C-alpha cells in the first residue's frame, strides 16, 4: 500500500473507471492524496490522468453510462456513492481546465458567479472574494481596471488565470488542474506555477502537468500512469531522481512517450 | 489563351453583377408600382376615414385600424406562444433529452417544418376551431387566437430546429466549466448555454416568426375575417391586412378608390416588414458582436 502523511484528503481504493463504449480508462488504481501539497499525475496520452481527475469531482458523470468500481473517499466519505450531492461536492473540489473556459459574462461576473450559485449575496463579501481570488492567481494588477469587460477579451494566459482565480474565490478544499498551462506562454506558465506555491499552503492541489519537466518542478507527490494503470507512486523528489520501476525511469528520462 | 480566360472572367463577373443589380431594380420597381397604385388613395379618401374603425368599402368607409389591429393581434399572439414554447423545446432536445429521444425528435421537427400551410389551415378548421369554441365557450371558434395558435404552430418547427442547432454548437467545455463551479444543470442552461447561443436563438426566432408574419392562407381560413375593433379582439373574429388583400383584390375594378386603398394596405405591409427586418438585423448584429466578444 502507498504511504502518505497523516489524514489524506483523498483515498482511492481499487478504482476502475469504464466509459460506456467499453474503454477501461483506469484499472484498479489505489493511492492517497495528501492535503496541502501539490500532487502530480503524469504519463503518456490516454493513461487515464484526466479520467482520475474528473472522477474527483464526478465530472465523468456527464458521459452517460460511465461506470465506477471501487471507492474514492474525500475526508473519509465515499464520493462515488449515488447519494452524494454533486453540486456540494463540486463546490468543495474546484477544477481548472486545459482550455481556459471563461463563461460568457464579464470578468467580474465570472469571478462572482460561483459564489452567487452557492447562495452568497452580500456585495462586500463578493467583492472581497473576487479581489482575493484575483490576487492569489497573480492577475489582480492586470485586470483591476477591466473588471466589467467581457472575459473573452482577456488574453489566453489571463483567461486561464481568471479560471484559476474563479475557483480560488470559491474557497474550495481541493483544486484540480488538467494541463492548466498547456496553452500558455512560458511567462504566464511561470506565473501560474508560482501562484501554486502560495496556493498549496491553503489548498490540496492535484495537477496533470503538460510536460515531464513541469511535473518535476511542481511535484510534492507524484503518480505515473500508463494505459490506465498506476505504475509508480511516491514523493516527487524520489520518483523523478530515482524511480524504482523501469518503465517510469524510461519515461522520465525521455526514452519513450 | 490568357486572353480567352480574361474574356471569360469578364463575362462571368458581368453576369454576376447583372444578377445582383437586377434584384435591387426589381425591388425598387415593385415599390414604385405600389406607390403609384396606392398613393392616390390618400387624396381620394379623407384621412379621418382611413383612421376610422369601420371597414365597409361598399359604403365608402375605409377604416384601416381594425385591419391593422387584426394583423398585430394575430402576430403578437403567435410570437407570445411560439417564442417561449419554441426555445424551451429546443433546450429540451439539445440539453435534457437522452440521446435516443433526440435522434427521433430532431428529424421529426424538421419534417413538420415542411408542412404546407393550407394543410395546417385545414387541420385548424377541423380540430382547433371547434376546440376553441367549446373550450372558451365562444359563439364561434374562428378567432384571432385560433389564427395565433396556427401561426405559432407554423413557426415552431423552424424556431426549434435552428435554435437547437445553435445550442448544440456551444462548446462542451462551457458546460463543464459551469458545472465544475457548482452550477446545477438548469443554472448552466440559463446562465451559460443560452447566453452563449444567443445570436443563434435570436436568428431562429426571426426566421420562424418571419415565416408566420407573411402567412396569409391559413390565417384567412381560421380567423373569421370580420373587421372589427374591440379590446378583447383575441377571442373574436378579426381580419388581417394580408387576408383583406387576398380576399378582395380579385373583386375590385381597376383604378377605383377601393382598388387604391387595397394597394395602400400593401404599402403599409411593405413598410412594416421593412422596419421589422431592419430592427431584426440590427438586433442580431449587436447580439453577434456581443457574443463574439464574450466567446472569442
Ligand atoms: N468520454 C469518453 N468516452 C470514451 N472513452 C473515453 C472518454 N474520455 C476518455 N476516454 C478514453 O479513456 C482513456 C483515458 O483517457 P484520459 O483522457 O483519462 O487520458 P489522459 O491520461 O488524460 O490523456 P491525455 O494526456 O491525452 O490527456 C483513453 O483511452 C480515452 O480514449
Ligand atoms: Mg487528459
Amino acid at each position: 500500500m502507498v504511504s502518505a502523511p497523516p489524514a489524506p484528503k483523498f483515498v482511492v481504493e481499487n478504482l476502475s473507471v469504464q466509459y460506456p463504449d467499453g474503454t477501461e480508462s483506469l484499472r484498479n488504481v489505489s493511492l492517497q492524496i495528501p492535503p496541502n501539497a501539490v500532487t502530480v499525475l503524469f504519463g503518456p496520452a490516454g493513461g487515464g490522468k484526466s479520467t482520475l481527475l474528473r472522477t474527483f469531482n464526478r465530472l465523468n458523470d456527464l458521459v452517460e453510462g460511465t461506470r465506477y468500481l471501487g471507492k474514492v473517499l474525500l475526508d473519509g466519505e465515499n464520493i462515488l456513492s449515488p447519494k452524494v450531492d454533486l453540486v456540494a461536492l463540486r463546490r468543495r473540489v474546484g477544477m481548472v481546465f486545459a482550455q481556459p473556459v471563461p463563461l460568457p459574462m464579464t470578468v467580474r461576473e465570472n469571478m462572482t458567479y460561483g459564489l452567487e450559485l452557492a447562495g452568497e449575496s452580500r456585495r462586500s463579501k463578493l467583492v472581497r472574494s473576487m479581489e482575493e481570488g484575483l490576487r492569489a492567481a497573480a492577475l489582480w494588477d492586470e485586470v483591476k481596471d477591466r473588471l466589467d469587460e467581457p472575459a473573452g477579451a482577456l488574453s489566453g494566459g489571463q483567461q486561464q488565470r481568471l479560471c484559476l482565480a474563479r475557483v480560488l474565490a470559491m474557497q474550495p478544499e481541493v483544486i484540480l488542474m488538467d494541463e492548466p498551462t498547456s496553452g500558455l506562454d512560458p511567462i504566464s506558465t511561470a506565473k501560474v506555477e508560482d501562484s501554486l506555491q502560495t496556493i498549496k499552503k491553503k489548498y490540496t492541489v492535484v495537477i496533470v502537468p503538460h510536460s515531464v519537466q513541469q511535473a518535476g518542478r511542481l511535484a510534492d507527490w507524484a503518480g505515473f500512469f500508463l494505459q490506465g494503470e498506476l505504475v509508480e507512486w511516491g514523493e516527487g523528489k524520489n520518483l523523478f531522481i530515482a524511480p524504482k520501476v523501469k518503465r517510469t525511469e524510461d519515461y522520465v528520462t525521455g526514452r519513450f512517450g | 489563351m490568357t486572353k480567352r480566360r480574361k474574356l471569360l472572367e469578364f463575362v462571368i463577373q458581368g453576369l454576376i453583377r447583372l444578377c445582383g443589380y437586377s434584384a435591387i431594380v426589381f425591388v425598387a420597381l415593385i415599390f414604385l408600382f405600389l406607390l403609384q397604385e396606392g398613393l392616390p388613395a390618400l387624396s381620394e379618401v379623407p384621412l379621418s376615414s382611413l383612421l376610422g374603425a369601420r371597414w365597409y368599402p361598399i359604403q365608402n368607409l375605409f377604416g384601416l385600424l381594425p385591419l391593422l389591429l387584426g394583423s398585430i393581434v394575430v402576430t403578437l399572439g403567435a410570437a407570445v406562444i411560439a417564442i417561449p414554447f419554441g426555445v424551451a423545446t429546443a433546450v429540451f432536445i439539445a440539453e435534457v433529452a437522452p440521446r435516443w429521444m433526440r435522434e427521433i425528435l430532431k428529424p421529426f421537427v424538421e419534417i413538420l417544418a415542411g408542412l404546407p400551410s393550407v394543410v395546417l389551415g385545414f387541420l385548424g378548421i377541423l380540430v382547433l376551431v371547434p376546440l376553441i369554441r367549446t373550450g372558451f365557450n365562444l359563439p364561434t371558434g374562428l378567432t384571432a387566437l385560433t389564427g395565433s395558435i396556427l401561426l405559432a404552430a407554423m413557426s415552431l418547427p423552424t424556431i426549434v430546429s435552428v435554435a437547437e442547432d445553435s445550442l448544440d454548437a456551444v462548446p462542451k467545455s462551457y458546460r463543464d466549466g459551469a458545472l465544475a463551479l457548482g452550477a446545477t444543470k438548469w443554472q448552466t442552461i440559463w446562465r451559460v448555454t443560452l447566453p452563449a447561443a444567443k445570436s443563434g436563438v435570436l436568428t431562429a426566432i426571426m426566421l420562424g416568426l418571419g415565416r408566420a408574419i407573411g402567412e396569409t392562407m391559413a390565417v384567412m381560413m381560421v380567423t373569421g375575417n370580420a373587421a372589427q375593433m374591440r379590446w378583447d379582439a383575441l377571442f373574436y373574429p378579426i381580419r388581417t391586412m394580408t387576408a383583406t388583400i387576398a380576399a378582395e383584390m380579385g373583386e375590385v375594378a381597376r383604378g377605383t378608390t377601393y382598388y387604391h386603398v387595397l394597394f395602400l394596405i400593401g404599402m403599409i405591409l411593405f413598410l412594416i416588414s421593412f422596419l421589422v427586418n431592419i430592427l431584426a438585423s440590427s438586433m442580431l448584429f449587436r447580439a453577434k458582436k456581443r457574443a463574439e466578444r464574450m466567446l472569442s
Side-chain angles (χ1 to χ4, degrees), chain B:
Chain B
M1 194 66 208
T2 50
K3 239 192 188 150
R4 262 190 62 191
R5 210 172 269 171
K6 255 192 192 148
L7 188 71
L8 199 68
E9 193 82 350
F10 180 77
V11 170
I12 291 179
Q13 275 198 11
L15 276 177
I16 292 177
R17 203 166 287 158
L18 192 73
C19 291
Y21 288 151
S22 60
I24 300 175
V25 169
F26 280 136
V27 173
L29 281 180
I30 292 174
F31 189 62
L32 280 181
F33 180 69
L34 272 179
L35 283 183
Q36 187 205 325
E37 302 289 325
L39 280 183
L42 287 179
S43 59
E44 289 162 18
V45 186
L47 210 61
S48 58
S49 168
L50 285 176
L51 294 179
R54 287 157 64 93
W55 173 261
Y56 289 120
I58 306 162
Q59 299 176 21
N60 272 327
L61 289 173
F62 294 107
L64 299 182
L65 289 187
L67 309 183
L68 203 64
L69 177 80
S71 284
I72 291 176
V73 167
V74 170
T75 310
L76 279 188
V80 165
I81 300 170
I83 293 174
F85 202 62
V87 174
T89 309
V91 165
F92 175 78
I93 296 180
E95 304 288 320
V96 185
R99 199 189 199 90
W100 61 266
M101 201 190 262
R102 187 175 323 167
E103 258 142 44
I104 300 172
L105 279 177
K106 192 84 206 294
F108 185 72
V109 166
E110 269 150 23
I111 290 171
L112 279 184
L115 222 55
S117 68
V118 180
V119 175
L120 264 179
F122 189 57
L123 276 179
I125 289 182
L126 281 185
V127 184
L128 200 57
V129 168
L131 223 91
I132 297 264
R133 184 172 39 104
T134 48
F136 289 97
N137 197 15
L138 296 171
T140 168
L142 300 168
T143 66
L145 180 64
T146 325
S148 294
I149 295 177
L150 219 57
L151 282 189
M154 219 171 285
S155 46
L156 266 179
T158 313
I159 296 183
V160 172
S161 164
V162 178
E164 201 268 345
D165 283 341
S166 68
L167 285 171
D168 209 45
V170 174
K172 185 174 159 311
S173 56
Y174 279 60
R175 295 177 192 112
D176 283 4
L179 289 168
L181 274 181
T184 61
K185 192 164 186 167
W186 168 241
Q187 290 165 329
T188 307
I189 291 171
W190 188 243
R191 282 295 300 273
V192 177
T193 319
L194 264 179
K198 193 162 140 206
S199 73
V201 172
L202 277 177
T203 311
I205 292 172
M206 300 294 173
L207 283 176
L209 287 181
R211 187 184 170 199
I213 290 172
E215 177 52 46
T216 312
M217 207 53 223
V219 176
M220 213 158 94
M221 287 165 81
V222 299
T223 49
N225 297 317
Q228 47 179 343
M229 290 277 276
R230 51 195 307 162
W231 64 269
D232 51 357
L234 195 59
F235 295 101
Y236 287 89
I238 48 91
R239 180 188 201 99
T240 63
M241 296 193 284
T242 47
T244 308
I245 297 179
E248 299 175 18
M249 194 48 111
E251 300 164 8
V252 308
R254 235 190 123 149
T256 57
T257 304
Y258 191 179
Y259 175 86
H260 289 148
V261 171
L262 286 186
F263 269 95
L264 185 66
I265 298 176
M267 267 170 60
I268 297 175
L269 275 173
F270 190 96
L271 272 178
I272 293 178
S273 74
F274 188 65
L275 286 180
V276 167
N277 267 316
I278 287 182
L279 201 81
S281 42
S282 75
M283 224 161 93
L284 261 182
F285 183 71
R286 244 184 302 149
K288 256 201 198 111
K289 270 268 150 1
R290 193 176 146 82
E292 261 162 32
R293 272 185 293 132
M294 289 291 186
L295 299 186
S296 64

Side-chain angles (χ1 to χ4, degrees), chain A residues 141-161:
Chain A
D141 291 329
E142 285 160 66
V143 301
K144 64 171 185 283
D145 301 318
R146 310 176 59 182
L147 293 175
D148 293 306
E149 281 180 38
L154 300 181
S155 79
Q158 290 170 334
Q159 288 181 18
Q160 189 59 306
R161 276 177 286 146

